[in-house]
Amino acid sequence: MNALAPDLLDRFRSIVGPKGWSSEPEVLALHSREMRDLYAGTSPLLLKPASTEEVAAIVKLARETRTKLVPQGGNTGLVGGGIPFDAGDEIIVSLQRMNRIRAVDALNDTITVEAGCILQQVQEAAREAGRLFPLSIGSEGSCTIGGNLSTNAGGNAVLRYGNTRELTLGLEVVLADGQIWNGLRGLRKDNTGYDLKHLFIGGEGTLGIITAAVLKLYPLPAAMATAFTAVPCPRAAIALLEKSKKATGGQVTGFELLPRIGLDYVLRHTPATSDPLAERHPWYVLMEFSSGRDDGSIGATMEAVLAEGLEEGLVLDAAIAQSDAQRTAFWKIREAMSGAQKPEGGSIKSDISVPVSRMADFIEQASAEIEALIPGVRIVAFGHIGDGNVHFNPSQPVGWEPARFLAMWDEVTGIINRIATEMNGSISAEHGIGRMKIDSLPHYKPAVEIELMRKIKQALDPDNILNPGKVVRVG
Ligand code: FAD
């Protein structure tokens, strides 16, 4: 289906030259579908601009002709934000060719990168300069910085370094009228009015197309201590987190909750994984401390925390990584937990957050309500408990047809979202709103907040050409 006139498509193609577009059905299909197969659409054209000026020319023409654009990075998003709808009247703009590291300023602890840089590429460039870029997520081998910024990605080190918003000092953005806003300032202090970059961070491509960013760098840690720790319940995990923060003076880098059922899924479906502990336990935390000093002190602190935890009944058993390979094996279990749910049938996804102090209450209450609704449901609650964020993903009861279970998606997420909201939480701590949550968001955010979002969208993109139908509905 092609709802856009051929001569219009030619005008877009001529902006980017022969290397900068594709209308191959297989290529378009790849860019019009999300990996979980929850969202798929159609587009007649994929544009791959190579410079900010080309992006600006595309957006100018789109504005002039009222053509809708869907910005896309690595297409690892999970809420349909980078996927066109079925009408075939949207052009996908992939930033993947804009993948240059523009500058590293080691003294200023900053790196300036183009939006299409793969996250791993940025981590490596920082390491080459003797610095750490701490954003670390399961999709880091394919997601892009533009996508990370647009979804305000979190990941495994938020506890210590913050999410993408907190790691960003400046942006370059093509606005909906085709103007280029160069806000690539590497300043930690700049109190000159509204901080505009925050509109585009987490904007999911609805307010502008991000073309480059100045990101913060940190000293590389000299030593890490990592433990795979069995705990009796999420409440004990939170008490152990508190103990860890106190003992390290804020050097807890990762604190991930893993349920036994999730570990069983991983061991069943992920080759080359094994249980780090000899006996079965109900819950685990993957905890990591880091330090700028390689004098054994961080390992000693971890041992002391675990020993105290054992005495107080917060810890049941623990394995401390003795090598990089063992640390990688522990993290592999964590990273495999998302994918390992798929072979177990239908799985209802969520990524809520609540204050850390309410995390255990949330897991207890949501589990009880959903188990009462669906006897035999298998709840996989895992993830960044140290940030007050878990993926609370019920799996279908054994023997059910996936479709029967997935038909309960709205009812189940309704319970999860209600409980999170009652606890002053958020219905999306990580993946964003996209297509998935655009209609549920107004039920959980105050009306005044939704209205403000609408006004911002209308002010910045009055013709609604940038990723329409995502995040907030206008008109
Ligand atoms: P895409 O999927 O291509 O796009 C995402 C959104 O950003 C879309 O709305 C798109 O229109 C917009 N967009 C993309 N680039 C631009 C741009 N340059 N300008 C304007 N808008 C743009 N997320 C987390 O937060 N934490 C995690 O721990 C995490 N773990 C994950 C693990 C796995 C295995 C997978 C598959 C995903 C995970 N995600 C996680 C989700 C996803 O990887 C992130 O949302 C990521 O930031 C998306 O980047 P991307 O380049 O793939 O963006």
Side-chain angles (χ1 to χ4, degrees), residues 265-345:
Y265 283 11
V266 169
L267 299 179
R268 255 202 304 275
H269 303 298
T270 316
T273 51
S274 59
D275 190 338
L277 299 172
E279 287 177 25
R280 291 174 68 85
H281 297 281
W283 293 91
Y284 303 89
V285 281
L286 175 53
M287 49 200 278
E288 190 154 272
F289 302 169
S290 63
S291 167
R293 286 189 301 166
D294 190 9
D295 56 2
S297 60
I298 200 72
T301 306
M302 180 166 273
E303 282 174 22
V305 166
L306 291 172
E308 251 186 58
L310 209 57
E311 245 169 57
E312 293 170 23
L314 301 176
V315 169
L316 302 173
D317 194 5
I320 298 182
Q322 301 300 321
S323 61
D324 273 354
Q326 211 178 359
R327 173 179 179 262
T328 306
F330 291 174
W331 275 104
K332 185 174 177 181
I333 293 172
R334 164 64 184 90
E335 299 307 348
M337 203 153 284
S338 303
Q341 291 162 65
K342 202 170 182 175
E344 294 286 332

Side-chain angles (χ1 to χ4, degrees), residues 4-55:
L4 296 175
D7 63 328
L8 176 60
L9 296 178
D10 282 343
R11 287 176 73 190
F12 278 108
R13 287 186 187 109
S14 69
I15 293 172
V16 290
K19 280 191 190 159
W21 62 271
S22 176
S23 290
E24 290 288 323
E26 304 80 47
V27 176
L28 288 172
L30 209 66
H31 286 266
S32 304
R33 169 175 295 280
E34 213 172 64
M35 64 173 70
R36 275 181 189 165
D37 287 335
L38 288 178
Y39 299 99
T42 350
S43 171
L45 181 61
L46 168 74
L47 293 175
K48 296 181 286 179
S51 66
T52 304
E53 289 68 29
E54 285 186 3
V55 176

Side-chain angles (χ1 to χ4, degrees), residues 34-35 70-83 93 95 115-116 136-140 142-156 164 200 203-206 208-211 334-335 338-339 384 389 391 429-432 434 467 470-471:
E34 213 172 64
M35 64 173 70
V70 181
Q72 198 179 82
N75 194 13
T76 68
L78 299 171
V79 292
I83 302 294
V93 182
L95 278 290
S136 165
I137 64 179
S139 52
E140 62 198 23
S142 20
C143 66
T144 63
I145 285 296
N148 301 149
L149 287 157
S150 302
T151 59
N152 185 26
N156 299 328
T164 307
F200 304 99
E204 299 185 41
T206 61
I209 300 185
I210 298 172
T211 47
R334 164 64 184 90
E335 299 307 348
S338 303
H384 317 299
N389 162 219
H391 300 291
E430 290 222 304
H431 297 161
N467 224 0
K470 317 286 169 60
V471 184

Side-chain angles (χ1 to χ4, degrees), residues 28-338:
L28 288 172
L30 209 66
H31 286 266
S32 304
R33 169 175 295 280
E34 213 172 64
M35 64 173 70
R36 275 181 189 165
D37 287 335
L38 288 178
Y39 299 99
T42 350
S43 171
L45 181 61
L46 168 74
L47 293 175
K48 296 181 286 179
S51 66
T52 304
E53 289 68 29
E54 285 186 3
V55 176
I58 290 168
V59 178
K60 247 184 208 131
L61 179 57
R63 179 76 180 270
E64 181 195 318
T65 56
R66 304 288 188 269
T67 309
K68 301 170 197 165
L69 302 176
V70 181
Q72 198 179 82
N75 194 13
T76 68
L78 299 171
V79 292
I83 302 294
F85 289 94
D86 287 331
D89 62 352
E90 294 171 284
I91 292 177
I92 302 171
V93 182
S94 166
L95 278 290
Q96 65 189 174
R97 285 174 73 217
M98 289 190 59
N99 59 1
R100 281 184 319 128
I101 306 286
R102 287 196 191 164
V104 179
D105 184 343
L107 257 191
N108 194 41
D109 279 320
T110 50
I111 187 166
T112 306
V113 303
E114 290 185 344
C117 286
I118 301 290
L119 171 53
Q120 206 165 42
Q121 182 193 348
V122 178
Q123 295 166 343
E124 280 161 14
R127 206 169 299 129
E128 270 167 34
R131 297 289 188 278
L132 174 75
F133 180 60
L135 185 65
S136 165
I137 64 179
S139 52
E140 62 198 23
S142 20
C143 66
T144 63
I145 285 296
N148 301 149
L149 287 157
S150 302
T151 59
N152 185 26
N156 299 328
V158 172
L159 191 55
R160 175 88 181 265
Y161 300 101
N163 50 23
T164 307
R165 191 181 293 286
E166 285 152 312
L167 296 172
T168 307
L169 293 176
L171 288 185
E172 178 186 84
V173 182
V174 172
L175 306 175
D177 59 3
Q179 282 192 85
I180 299 168
W181 171 49
N182 184 338
L184 290 174
R185 291 183 288 270
L187 302 176
R188 282 167 180 80
K189 303 187 84 171
D190 179 12
N191 287 346
T192 51
Y194 308 136
D195 198 338
L196 298 174
K197 63 179 178 286
H198 289 302
L199 285 175
F200 304 99
I201 301 174
E204 299 185 41
T206 61
L207 300 179
I209 300 185
I210 298 172
T211 47
V214 185
L215 305 168
K216 285 188 204 170
L217 300 179
Y218 290 84
L220 276 168
M224 309 271 248
T226 310
F228 196 90
T229 305
V231 295
C233 57
R235 206 168 290 282
I238 295 293
L240 186 63
L241 170 66
E242 162 75 357
K243 192 179 274 303
S244 303
K245 282 185 194 163
K246 251 194 206 150
T248 59
Q251 291 176 315
V252 184
T253 322
F255 206 87
E256 300 286 313
L257 181 74
L258 308 169
R260 178 70 218 187
I261 188 171
L263 177 57
D264 285 339
Y265 283 11
V266 169
L267 299 179
R268 255 202 304 275
H269 303 298
T270 316
T273 51
S274 59
D275 190 338
L277 299 172
E279 287 177 25
R280 291 174 68 85
H281 297 281
W283 293 91
Y284 303 89
V285 281
L286 175 53
M287 49 200 278
E288 190 154 272
F289 302 169
S290 63
S291 167
R293 286 189 301 166
D294 190 9
D295 56 2
S297 60
I298 200 72
T301 306
M302 180 166 273
E303 282 174 22
V305 166
L306 291 172
E308 251 186 58
L310 209 57
E311 245 169 57
E312 293 170 23
L314 301 176
V315 169
L316 302 173
D317 194 5
I320 298 182
Q322 301 300 321
S323 61
D324 273 354
Q326 211 178 359
R327 173 179 179 262
T328 306
F330 291 174
W331 275 104
K332 185 174 177 181
I333 293 172
R334 164 64 184 90
E335 299 307 348
M337 203 153 284
S338 303

Side-chain angles (χ1 to χ4, degrees), residues 344-396:
E344 294 286 332
S347 168
I348 295 178
K349 309 293 185 188
S350 72
D351 65 318
I352 62 89
S353 65
V354 293
V356 174
S357 49
R358 301 303 308 274
M359 199 74 263
D361 296 336
F362 171 83
I363 294 173
E364 283 171 17
Q365 190 180 333
S367 301
E369 287 197 31
I370 290 166
E371 281 162 0
L373 178 74
I374 313 171
V377 71
R378 296 168 294 163
I379 291 171
V380 186
F382 71 105
H384 317 299
I385 191 174
D387 311 324
N389 162 219
V390 284
H391 300 291
F392 190 88
N393 294 353
S395 280
Q396 64 171 71

